[in-house]
């Protein structure tokens, strides 16, 4: 079993009337099956309302299944006594870093999670030092988070999660509120954690360029997984992605249009270097 495994996972949002009775249900996640191996970099794509953020909240038990089962490191998330343990295994980084930064100084904020876990003080500071270094924020340890850029705040949020030593980190559209430079900073930090530290990364995003280096990609629509494969396999299917209201990286789209125009290059090119090499052959 992988570090994250879902079997026939389903979730309904409930709408209540003024008397507290269930008036309506909305199926947000429908018959999801996942098996994510430890150390993988996985991306989940989908247009707004596709269910990807609802699925993300299941990965560290912020939401519990309406039906089916989700396991995090072999722990069933519907087991209420295990919720704290699950959230130690799978840390969550949200779209807006201001929602999870609570300290007045960066290093204090990063140490908040381990302190709540009961980690001894000397170990907390070791973890703070290590997490700030991994995310490139050591130079800002004494700064106020309020004075940081959006990208820097998000890296502090990631450092705070990493200080809890999770086996998996779930990022729910972490760059949606950032400018291009901020997005680049955050993705570099996340990629380093995956590549150098072996942390399982699950990235929920609608920026196609952010997933070209992922090991595996899932595409969601109407609460279901409708496509899965490597980035190259997914982005080779430009017309199918358009059907699900999704784009492809600009270089992939350019390669696709050249291919349609009769230029002898393959579909699914992911980088500028690949496109240049294909055109020069």
């Amino acid at each position: 079993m992988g570090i994250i495994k879902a079997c026939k996972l389903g979730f309904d949002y409930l709408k209540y009337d003024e008397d507290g009775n269930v008036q309506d249900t909305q199926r947000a996640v429908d018959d999801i099956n996942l098996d994510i191996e430890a150390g993988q970099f996985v991306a989940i794509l989908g247009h707004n309302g596709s269910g990807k953020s609802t699925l993300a909240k299941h990965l560290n038990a912020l939401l519990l299944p309406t039906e089916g089962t989700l396991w995090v490191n072999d722990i069933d998330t519907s087991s209420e006594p295990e919720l704290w343990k699950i959230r130690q295994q799978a840390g969550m980084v949200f779209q807006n870093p201001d929602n999870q930064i609570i300290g007045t100084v960066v290093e204090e904020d990063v140490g908040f999670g381990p302190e709540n876990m009961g980690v001894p003080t000397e170990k907390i500071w070791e973890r703070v030092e290590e997490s700030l270094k991994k995310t490139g924020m050591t130079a800002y340890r004494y700064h106020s988070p309020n004075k940081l850029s959006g990208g820097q705040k998000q890296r502090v949020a990631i450092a705070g999660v990493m200080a809890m030593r999770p086996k998996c980190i779930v990022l729910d559209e972490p760059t949606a509120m950032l400018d291009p430079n901020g997005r680049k900073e955050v993705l570099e930090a996340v990629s380093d954690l995956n590549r150098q530290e072996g942390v399982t990364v699950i990235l929920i995003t609608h920026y196609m360029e952010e997933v070209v280096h992922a090991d595996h990609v899932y595409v969601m629509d109407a609460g279901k997984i409708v496509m899965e494969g490597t980035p190259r396999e997914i982005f080779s299917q430009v017309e199918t992605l358009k059907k699900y209201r999704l784009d492809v990286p600009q270089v992939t789209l350019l390669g696709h249009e050249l291919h349609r125009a009769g230029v002898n290059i393959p579909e699914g090119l992911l980088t500028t270097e690949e496109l240049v090499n294909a055109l020069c052959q």
Side-chain angles (χ1 to χ4, degrees), residues 17-199:
D17 61 22
E18 58 186 18
D19 297 321
N21 300 312
V22 176
Q23 186 177 43
D24 193 16
T25 63
Q26 179 184 353
R27 174 55 53 116
V29 167
D30 189 16
D31 195 28
I32 295 292
N33 295 288
L34 294 172
D35 196 351
I36 298 173
E37 296 297 328
Q40 279 192 315
F41 178 8
V42 171
I44 301 176
L45 304 177
H47 61 82
N48 290 339
S50 63
K52 59 187 188 300
S53 289
T54 299
L55 176 59
K57 292 180 175 66
H58 278 78
L59 301 181
N60 79 334
L62 288 175
L63 294 176
L64 302 181
T66 301
E67 61 185 46
T69 312
L70 180 74
W71 294 271
V72 175
N73 206 26
D74 297 334
I75 305 171
D76 186 340
T77 61
S78 62
S79 176
E80 190 169 336
E82 304 286 356
L83 289 185
W84 180 236
K85 188 180 294 185
I86 290 165
R87 290 169 186 163
Q88 289 178 282
Q89 301 287 325
M92 189 89 170
V93 176
F94 297 99
Q95 184 179 114
N96 186 349
D98 289 327
N99 291 341
Q100 62 187 114
I101 292 178
I102 60 172
T104 56
V105 178
V106 165
E107 66 172 13
E108 293 177 357
D109 187 86
V110 175
F112 179 79
E115 184 178 17
N116 273 355
M117 292 166 58
V119 176
T121 301
E122 66 275 11
K123 295 294 183 182
I124 291 175
W125 292 114
E126 287 179 12
R127 292 193 184 191
V128 169
E129 182 73 33
E130 181 180 306
S131 299
L132 289 173
K133 184 177 180 180
K134 288 177 181 177
T135 53
M137 291 301 292
T138 302
Y140 299 89
R141 66 182 306 154
Y142 302 118
H143 288 226
S144 166
N146 294 328
K147 302 287 177 67
L148 301 178
S149 69
Q152 290 168 336
K153 286 182 180 180
Q154 197 61 286
R155 284 192 284 164
V156 170
I158 294 170
V161 170
M162 291 310 302
M164 298 173 69
R165 300 278 177 85
K167 296 181 182 296
C168 173
I169 181 168
V170 182
L171 301 108
D172 186 12
E173 301 199 46
T175 65
M177 302 179 68
L178 305 180
D179 60 25
N181 286 335
R183 290 202 296 269
K184 182 179 178 182
E185 287 179 5
V186 170
L187 263 294
E188 286 177 349
V190 170
S191 295
D192 286 346
L193 290 171
N194 173 250
R195 186 176 60 255
Q196 298 174 12
E197 307 297 328
V199 176

Side-chain angles (χ1 to χ4, degrees), residues 179-237:
D179 60 25
N181 286 335
R183 290 202 296 269
K184 182 179 178 182
E185 287 179 5
V186 170
L187 263 294
E188 286 177 349
V190 170
S191 295
D192 286 346
L193 290 171
N194 173 250
R195 186 176 60 255
Q196 298 174 12
E197 307 297 328
V199 176
T200 304
V201 169
I202 301 175
L203 174 66
I204 289 85
T205 184
H206 59 267
Y207 290 109
M208 303 299 111
E209 284 80 5
E210 294 182 353
V211 308
V212 297
H213 299 299
D215 298 310
H216 201 77
V217 179
Y218 294 93
V219 177
M220 293 189 66
D221 183 68
K224 294 178 177 290
I225 292 175
V226 292
M227 299 173 70
E228 67 171 289
T230 66
R232 197 177 307 283
E233 290 169 342
I234 295 298
F235 292 138
S236 294
Q237 303 176 64

